[in-house]
Amino acid sequence: MTRLAPPDRTDVLAMLATFGERSPGAVQDTLGSLELTWLIAEFEQRFDIELELSDERFETIRTVDDATEVLRAAVLAAGPGPAHGEAAEPGVTGSGVTGSGVTGSGATADARPAGAARP
C-alpha cells in the first residue's frame, strides 16, 4: 500500500477550504475547535490514518501551521506501508505505529489505518 505524501500547509489550507465552501485564501490562520475537528476527520478519511490526540494535545493546535505539523508527523510516522514480502520499518506495523505514536513535537498521536482495532 502506498500512502499519499505528507500534507504541507497548502494541502491543509485546501482541506480547510472545503469546510464552508471557500477559497484557500479565505481560510483564517487561527482554527476553531469545530473546524479542527472537521479537519481531523477529513485527514483521517483522505489518508486512511486514525489520528488519536489527547485532549491536551488537541487544545494546543491553534493555527494552520500547528495542524500541518501534527498531520505531517502522523503520515510520516505511519510510513509508506511495506510492499508484499517486505519487512516493515522498525516501529511500524501494518496497523500503524507501535508505541505512543508521534514524538518530537510533543504530539501524542497514534497513526493507525481507519477501522483498525485498538490495543
Side-chain angles (χ1 to χ4, degrees):
M1 170 168 88
T2 302
R3 291 218 186 268
L4 297 172
D8 60 17
R9 181 180 170 82
T10 302
D11 297 325
V12 172
L13 286 171
M15 282 190 274
L16 286 166
T18 61
F19 180 76
E21 300 177 7
R22 54 197 165 164
S23 72
V27 175
Q28 294 189 9
D29 190 55
T30 303
L31 302 175
S33 61
L34 179 60
E35 193 172 37
L36 178 57
T37 301
W38 183 90
L39 175 64
I40 290 170
E42 179 70 15
F43 168 81
E44 290 177 336
Q45 182 176 1
R46 185 174 296 187
F47 287 85
D48 196 27
I49 294 173
E50 186 173 329
L51 186 63
E52 295 184 19
L53 298 172
S54 67
D55 289 342
E56 294 80 18
R57 181 60 177 142
F58 182 87
E59 291 174 4
T60 66
I61 303 171
R62 298 281 187 220
T63 66
V64 172
D65 287 337
D66 294 340
T68 301
E69 178 183 331
V70 170
L71 300 179
R72 285 185 61 81
V75 171
L76 292 171
H84 293 287
E86 291 182 18
E89 295 177 32
V92 178
T93 66
S95 63
V97 177
T98 59
S100 62
V102 180
T103 59
S105 64
T108 307
D110 183 10
R112 167 186 2 222
R118 295 186 179 169

